[in-house]
Amino acid sequence: MTGYKVLVVEDSPTMRQLIVFALKRIRGFQIVEANDGVDGLKKLSAEKFDLILTDINMPIMDGLKLVSMVRNDPNYKETPIIVITTEGAIEDRERALALGANEYITKPIQTMKILETVKKLMSV
Amino acid sequence: MSHHDEENSAAGRADEFLQVFKKGAEFTQDLLKENERLRFRVVKLEETLKEKGHDVVTDGPEALELKKKILELEQEKEEILGQIKVVEEENQNFANRYVEIEEENNMLANLYIASYQLHSTLDFKEVLKIIQEIVINLIGAEEFGVLLLDEKTNLLEPVASEGIEISALPSIAVGSGIIGESVGSGENYFIESMQGYERDLHKPIVCIPLKIKEHVIGVISIYNLFEQKDEFTNVDYELFTLLAGHAATAVFSSRMYSDSERKLSTIQGFIDLLTK
């Protein structure tokens, strides 16, 4: 058991379920879901997470704002963040990475790519 | 000593010296001869050894046995190399198959979740939202519309859209144009080539009729894909088939439910009015 705690921030329940379903295939991952950036921040402050996956386009607080705020939190300076988004432009990718995201994956959802990236970042 | 005696003594010493020199010359001659003889002998011995050595390797029973053993080992080595090659190929096939199975597994998981979500609600608007989510996030469409058939007018009316204002989408008669023909035939439509395609709301790149068995209730028309999505994959075609069936039943049942709820609330209103 690796015992990693993972936060999935995604406003679409269908997509959230898809990502969670994929991550559950990695043994020992405890997954917590959040509907948007604000919900995500609330959950991040309530307990410590080892990995964050977030969408960009979300209501209330988008994923980029969330990435930026997470990186300003001393508890999450080194925590890997994966952005999963429909935004495919190079400047969007660069912006997310500049704000502190570790990986940037574009939609449509590619489960294998998500799993490979997670495994690489978490060395599992 | 007289002069004469001195001369005799010098001549004697010269004689002695000559004798010694002569002997030295003879000894050198002997040495050269011996050297010559030995060199000849060495060459002879080398030749003999060479001959003898040759005879032993080719003709001796031990040599033949060794040769046979070498041949056997060479054959064995070739067989092992062949087996390694076969195993390597099998390994590669297994690795490829593993990747294929993983992809299939993921595709099935996606299809399962998509269909599960479609049937998770009887709220018509929520069903439309789930269809939109699937088309955006699983297929990768940036601009599309969902049109449902009005059976009274036989027109396809837009009910949801993404990337396009819903008011911009036209109503389409069944059988008319690409969308109408796709609905009329019940067959999915895919543009032959997306190269040079310019958005035309009457000419989408993909049409997916929403069908319950052979009964078409609407259509999803896609006009543009995300820039990172340049072609359709096998998963997309599976999703199109899934959408055609599951989305249609989800839309149909949620609409029926909404209608019956509305009728029920009207009847309840009447009953309340009559019983007051």
Coordinates of all heavy atoms in Angstrom, one line a residue, chain A residues 10-15 17-19 21-22 25 85-90 92 106-109 111-112 115 119, chain B residues 99 102-103 105-106 109-114 116-117 129-130 133-134 136-140 226-229 236:
Chain A
E10 N -12.7 18.8 -10.3 CA -13.3 18.8 -11.7 C -14.8 19.1 -11.5 O -15.5 18.5 -10.6 CB -13.1 17.4 -12.3 CG -13.9 17.1 -13.5 CD -13.6 17.9 -14.8 OE1 -12.5 17.6 -15.3 OE2 -14.4 18.7 -15.2
D11 N -15.3 20.1 -12.3 CA -16.7 20.4 -12.1 C -17.7 19.4 -12.7 O -18.8 19.3 -12.3 CB -17.0 21.9 -12.6 CG -16.7 22.0 -14.0 OD1 -15.7 21.4 -14.5 OD2 -17.5 22.6 -14.7
S12 N -17.2 18.8 -13.8 CA -18.1 17.8 -14.4 C -18.2 16.5 -13.7 O -17.1 15.8 -13.6 CB -17.7 17.6 -15.9 OG -18.1 16.3 -16.3
P13 N -19.3 16.1 -13.2 CA -19.4 14.8 -12.4 C -18.9 13.6 -13.3 O -18.3 12.7 -12.8 CB -20.8 14.7 -12.0 CG -21.4 16.0 -12.2 CD -20.6 16.7 -13.3
T14 N -19.3 13.6 -14.6 CA -18.9 12.5 -15.5 C -17.4 12.4 -15.6 O -16.8 11.3 -15.5 CB -19.5 12.7 -16.9 OG1 -20.9 13.0 -16.7 CG2 -19.4 11.5 -17.8
M15 N -16.8 13.5 -15.8 CA -15.3 13.5 -15.9 C -14.6 13.2 -14.6 O -13.6 12.5 -14.6 CB -14.8 14.9 -16.4 CG -15.2 15.2 -17.8 SD -14.9 13.8 -19.0 CE -16.5 13.3 -19.3
Q17 N -15.8 11.3 -12.3 CA -16.0 9.9 -12.1 C -15.0 9.1 -13.0 O -14.4 8.1 -12.6 CB -17.4 9.5 -12.5 CG -17.8 8.3 -11.7 CD -19.3 7.9 -12.0 OE1 -20.0 8.7 -12.4 NE2 -19.6 6.7 -11.7
L18 N -14.8 9.6 -14.2 CA -13.8 8.9 -15.1 C -12.4 8.9 -14.6 O -11.7 7.9 -14.6 CB -13.8 9.6 -16.5 CG -14.8 9.2 -17.5 CD1 -14.8 10.1 -18.7 CD2 -14.5 7.8 -18.0
I19 N -12.0 10.1 -14.1 CA -10.7 10.3 -13.5 C -10.5 9.4 -12.3 O -9.5 8.7 -12.1 CB -10.3 11.8 -13.2 CG1 -10.3 12.5 -14.6 CG2 -9.0 11.9 -12.5 CD1 -10.4 14.0 -14.4
F21 N -12.2 6.8 -11.4 CA -12.3 5.4 -11.8 C -10.9 4.9 -12.3 O -10.4 3.8 -11.9 CB -13.3 5.2 -12.9 CG -13.8 3.8 -13.1 CD1 -14.8 3.2 -12.4 CD2 -13.2 3.0 -14.1 CE1 -15.2 1.9 -12.6 CE2 -13.6 1.7 -14.3 CZ -14.6 1.2 -13.6
A22 N -10.2 5.8 -13.1 CA -8.9 5.4 -13.6 C -7.9 5.4 -12.4 O -7.1 4.4 -12.3 CB -8.4 6.5 -14.6
R25 N -7.4 2.4 -10.0 CA -6.7 1.2 -10.5 C -5.3 1.2 -9.9 O -4.6 0.2 -10.0 CB -6.6 1.2 -12.0 CG -8.0 0.8 -12.6 CD -8.1 1.1 -14.0 NE -7.2 0.3 -14.8 CZ -7.0 0.4 -16.1 NH1 -7.7 1.3 -16.7 NH2 -6.1 -0.4 -16.6
T85 N -7.2 19.5 -19.1 CA -8.1 20.5 -19.6 C -8.4 20.4 -21.1 O -7.6 19.6 -21.8 CB -7.4 21.9 -19.4 OG1 -8.2 22.9 -19.9 CG2 -6.0 21.9 -20.0
T86 N -9.4 21.1 -21.5 CA -9.7 21.1 -23.0 C -8.8 22.2 -23.7 O -8.8 22.2 -24.9 CB -11.2 21.5 -23.2 OG1 -11.4 22.7 -22.5 CG2 -12.1 20.4 -22.7
E87 N -8.2 23.0 -22.9 CA -7.4 24.1 -23.5 C -6.1 23.6 -24.1 O -5.2 23.2 -23.4 CB -7.0 25.2 -22.5 CG -8.2 25.7 -21.7 CD -9.2 26.5 -22.6 OE1 -8.8 27.0 -23.6 OE2 -10.4 26.4 -22.3
G88 N -6.0 23.5 -25.4 CA -4.8 22.9 -26.1 C -3.8 23.9 -26.5 O -2.7 23.4 -27.1
A89 N -4.0 25.2 -26.4 CA -3.0 26.1 -26.9 C -1.7 26.1 -26.1 O -1.7 25.9 -24.9 CB -3.6 27.5 -26.9
I90 N -0.6 26.3 -26.8 CA 0.7 26.3 -26.2 C 0.8 27.3 -25.0 O 1.4 27.0 -23.9 CB 1.9 26.5 -27.2 CG1 1.9 25.3 -28.2 CG2 3.2 26.7 -26.5 CD1 2.7 25.6 -29.4
D92 N -1.5 28.4 -23.1 CA -2.3 27.9 -21.9 C -1.4 26.9 -21.1 O -1.3 27.0 -19.9 CB -3.6 27.2 -22.3 CG -4.6 28.2 -22.9 OD1 -4.7 29.3 -22.4 OD2 -5.2 27.8 -24.0
T106 N -4.1 17.4 -22.1 CA -5.3 17.9 -22.8 C -6.4 16.9 -22.9 O -6.1 15.7 -23.1 CB -4.9 18.5 -24.1 OG1 -4.2 17.5 -24.9 CG2 -4.1 19.8 -24.0
K107 N -7.6 17.4 -22.9 CA -8.8 16.5 -23.2 C -8.9 16.4 -24.7 O -8.5 17.3 -25.4 CB -10.0 17.1 -22.5 CG -10.0 17.0 -21.0 CD -11.2 17.6 -20.4 CE -11.2 17.6 -18.9 NZ -12.3 18.4 -18.4
P108 N -9.6 15.4 -25.3 CA -10.4 14.4 -24.6 C -9.6 13.5 -23.7 O -8.4 13.3 -23.9 CB -11.0 13.6 -25.8 CG -10.1 13.9 -27.0 CD -9.6 15.3 -26.8
I109 N -10.3 13.0 -22.7 CA -9.6 12.2 -21.6 C -8.9 11.0 -22.2 O -9.5 10.3 -23.0 CB -10.7 11.7 -20.7 CG1 -11.3 12.9 -19.9 CG2 -10.2 10.6 -19.8 CD1 -10.8 13.1 -18.5
T111 N -7.2 8.0 -20.6 CA -6.9 7.4 -19.3 C -5.5 6.9 -19.1 O -4.9 7.1 -18.1 CB -7.9 6.2 -19.1 OG1 -9.2 6.6 -19.4 CG2 -7.9 5.7 -17.7
M112 N -5.0 6.3 -20.2 CA -3.6 5.7 -20.1 C -2.6 6.8 -19.9 O -1.6 6.7 -19.1 CB -3.3 4.9 -21.4 CG -3.8 3.5 -21.3 SD -3.3 2.5 -22.6 CE -1.7 2.0 -22.1
L115 N -2.8 7.9 -16.2 CA -2.2 6.9 -15.4 C -0.7 6.9 -15.5 O 0.1 6.9 -14.5 CB -2.7 5.5 -15.7 CG -4.2 5.3 -15.3 CD1 -4.6 3.9 -15.7 CD2 -4.3 5.4 -13.8
K119 N 1.8 7.9 -12.4 CA 2.8 6.9 -12.0 C 4.2 7.5 -12.0 O 5.0 7.3 -11.1 CB 2.7 5.6 -12.8 CG 1.5 4.8 -12.5 CD 1.5 3.6 -13.4 CE 0.2 2.7 -13.1 NZ 0.1 1.7 -14.1
Chain B
V99 N -0.9 -3.7 -24.2 CA -1.3 -2.3 -24.4 C -2.7 -2.2 -25.0 O -3.5 -1.4 -24.6 CB -0.2 -1.6 -25.3 CG1 -0.7 -0.2 -25.8 CG2 1.1 -1.4 -24.6
E102 N -5.2 -2.9 -22.3 CA -5.3 -1.8 -21.5 C -6.2 -0.7 -22.1 O -7.0 -0.1 -21.5 CB -3.9 -1.2 -21.2 CG -3.2 -1.8 -20.0 CD -3.8 -1.4 -18.7 OE1 -3.7 -0.2 -18.4 OE2 -4.3 -2.3 -18.0
E103 N -5.9 -0.5 -23.4 CA -6.7 0.5 -24.1 C -8.2 0.1 -24.2 O -9.1 1.0 -24.0 CB -6.2 0.7 -25.5 CG -5.0 1.7 -25.5 CD -4.3 1.7 -26.9 OE1 -4.7 1.0 -27.8 OE2 -3.3 2.5 -27.0
N105 N -9.7 -1.8 -22.1 CA -10.2 -1.7 -20.7 C -10.6 -0.3 -20.4 O -11.6 -0.1 -19.8 CB -9.0 -2.1 -19.8 CG -9.4 -2.7 -18.5 OD1 -10.6 -2.9 -18.3 ND2 -8.5 -3.1 -17.6
N106 N -9.7 0.6 -20.8 CA -10.0 2.0 -20.5 C -11.2 2.5 -21.3 O -12.0 3.3 -20.8 CB -8.8 2.9 -20.9 CG -7.6 2.6 -20.0 OD1 -7.8 2.3 -18.8 ND2 -6.4 2.8 -20.5
A109 N -14.3 1.2 -19.6 CA -14.5 2.0 -18.4 C -15.2 3.3 -18.8 O -16.1 3.7 -18.1 CB -13.2 2.2 -17.7
N110 N -14.6 3.9 -19.8 CA -15.2 5.2 -20.3 C -16.7 5.0 -20.7 O -17.5 5.8 -20.4 CB -14.4 5.8 -21.4 CG -13.0 6.3 -21.0 OD1 -12.7 6.3 -19.8 ND2 -12.2 6.8 -21.9
L111 N -16.9 4.0 -21.5 CA -18.2 3.7 -22.0 C -19.2 3.4 -20.8 O -20.3 3.9 -20.8 CB -18.2 2.5 -23.0 CG -17.5 2.8 -24.3 CD1 -17.6 1.5 -25.2 CD2 -18.1 3.9 -25.1
Y112 N -18.7 2.6 -19.9 CA -19.5 2.3 -18.7 C -19.9 3.5 -18.0 O -21.1 3.7 -17.6 CB -18.7 1.3 -17.8 CG -19.3 1.2 -16.4 CD1 -20.5 0.5 -16.2 CD2 -18.7 1.8 -15.3 CE1 -21.1 0.4 -15.0 CE2 -19.3 1.7 -14.1 CZ -20.5 1.0 -13.9 OH -21.0 0.9 -12.7
I113 N -18.9 4.4 -17.7 CA -19.2 5.6 -16.9 C -20.1 6.6 -17.7 O -21.1 7.1 -17.1 CB -17.9 6.3 -16.5 CG1 -17.3 5.4 -15.4 CG2 -18.2 7.7 -16.0 CD1 -15.9 5.8 -15.1
A114 N -19.9 6.7 -19.0 CA -20.7 7.5 -19.8 C -22.2 7.1 -19.8 O -23.1 7.9 -19.6 CB -20.2 7.6 -21.3
Y116 N -23.6 5.0 -17.6 CA -24.1 5.1 -16.2 C -24.6 6.5 -15.9 O -25.6 6.7 -15.4 CB -22.9 4.7 -15.3 CG -23.3 4.8 -13.8 CD1 -24.0 3.8 -13.2 CD2 -23.0 6.0 -13.1 CE1 -24.3 3.9 -11.8 CE2 -23.3 6.1 -11.8 CZ -24.0 5.1 -11.1 OH -24.3 5.2 -9.8
Q117 N -23.8 7.5 -16.3 CA -24.1 8.9 -16.1 C -25.4 9.3 -16.9 O -26.3 10.0 -16.4 CB -23.0 9.8 -16.5 CG -21.8 9.8 -15.5 CD -22.2 10.5 -14.2 OE1 -22.9 11.4 -14.1 NE2 -21.7 9.9 -13.1
K129 N -27.0 18.0 -20.4 CA -25.7 18.5 -19.9 C -24.7 17.3 -19.9 O -23.5 17.5 -20.3 CB -25.9 19.0 -18.5 CG -24.7 19.9 -18.1 CD -25.0 20.4 -16.7 CE -23.6 20.9 -16.1 NZ -23.5 20.7 -14.7
I130 N -25.2 16.1 -19.6 CA -24.3 15.0 -19.6 C -23.8 14.6 -21.0 O -22.7 14.3 -21.3 CB -24.9 13.8 -18.9 CG1 -25.1 14.1 -17.4 CG2 -24.1 12.5 -19.1 CD1 -26.0 13.1 -16.6
E133 N -21.2 17.0 -21.9 CA -19.9 16.7 -21.2 C -19.2 15.6 -21.9 O -18.0 15.6 -22.1 CB -20.2 16.3 -19.8 CG -20.5 17.4 -18.8 CD -20.7 17.0 -17.4 OE1 -20.7 15.8 -17.1 OE2 -21.0 17.9 -16.6
I134 N -20.0 14.6 -22.3 CA -19.4 13.4 -23.0 C -18.8 13.8 -24.4 O -17.7 13.5 -24.7 CB -20.4 12.3 -23.2 CG1 -20.8 11.7 -21.8 CG2 -19.9 11.2 -24.1 CD1 -22.0 10.8 -21.8
I136 N -17.8 16.8 -25.3 CA -16.7 17.7 -25.1 C -15.5 16.9 -24.6 O -14.4 16.9 -25.2 CB -17.0 18.8 -24.1 CG1 -18.1 19.7 -24.6 CG2 -15.7 19.6 -23.7 CD1 -18.6 20.7 -23.5
N137 N -15.7 16.2 -23.5 CA -14.5 15.6 -22.8 C -14.1 14.2 -23.3 O -12.9 13.9 -23.1 CB -14.8 15.5 -21.3 CG -15.0 16.8 -20.6 OD1 -14.1 17.6 -20.5 ND2 -16.2 17.1 -20.2
L138 N -15.0 13.5 -23.9 CA -14.5 12.2 -24.4 C -14.3 12.1 -25.9 O -13.4 11.4 -26.3 CB -15.6 11.1 -24.0 CG -15.6 10.7 -22.5 CD1 -16.7 9.6 -22.3 CD2 -14.3 10.2 -22.0
I139 N -15.1 12.9 -26.6 CA -14.9 12.9 -28.0 C -13.9 14.1 -28.4 O -13.1 13.9 -29.4 CB -16.2 13.0 -28.8 CG1 -17.0 11.7 -28.6 CG2 -16.0 13.3 -30.3 CD1 -18.4 11.7 -29.2
G140 N -14.0 15.2 -27.7 CA -13.1 16.3 -28.0 C -13.7 17.3 -29.0 O -12.9 17.9 -29.8
F226 N -11.4 20.1 -31.0 CA -10.3 20.9 -30.3 C -9.1 20.8 -31.2 O -8.9 19.8 -31.9 CB -10.0 20.3 -28.9 CG -11.1 20.5 -27.9 CD1 -11.6 19.5 -27.2 CD2 -11.5 21.8 -27.7 CE1 -12.6 19.7 -26.3 CE2 -12.5 22.0 -26.7 CZ -13.1 21.0 -26.0
E227 N -8.2 21.9 -31.0 CA -7.1 21.9 -31.9 C -6.1 20.7 -31.7 O -5.4 20.3 -32.6 CB -6.3 23.2 -31.7 CG -5.8 23.5 -30.3 CD -5.0 24.8 -30.2 OE1 -4.0 24.9 -30.9 OE2 -5.4 25.7 -29.5
Q228 N -6.1 20.2 -30.4 CA -5.3 19.0 -30.1 C -5.8 17.7 -30.7 O -5.2 16.7 -30.6 CB -5.0 18.9 -28.6 CG -6.2 18.6 -27.8 CD -6.8 19.9 -27.2 OE1 -6.7 20.9 -27.8 NE2 -7.5 19.8 -26.1
K229 N -7.1 17.8 -31.1 CA -7.7 16.5 -31.6 C -7.8 16.6 -33.2 O -8.6 17.4 -33.7 CB -9.1 16.5 -31.0 CG -10.0 15.4 -31.6 CD -10.0 14.2 -30.7 CE -10.9 13.1 -31.3 NZ -10.9 11.9 -30.4
D236 N -13.8 6.8 -30.3 CA -14.8 7.8 -30.7 C -16.0 7.1 -31.4 O -17.1 7.4 -31.2 CB -14.2 8.8 -31.7 CG -13.1 9.6 -31.0 OD1 -13.2 9.9 -29.8 OD2 -12.1 10.0 -31.6

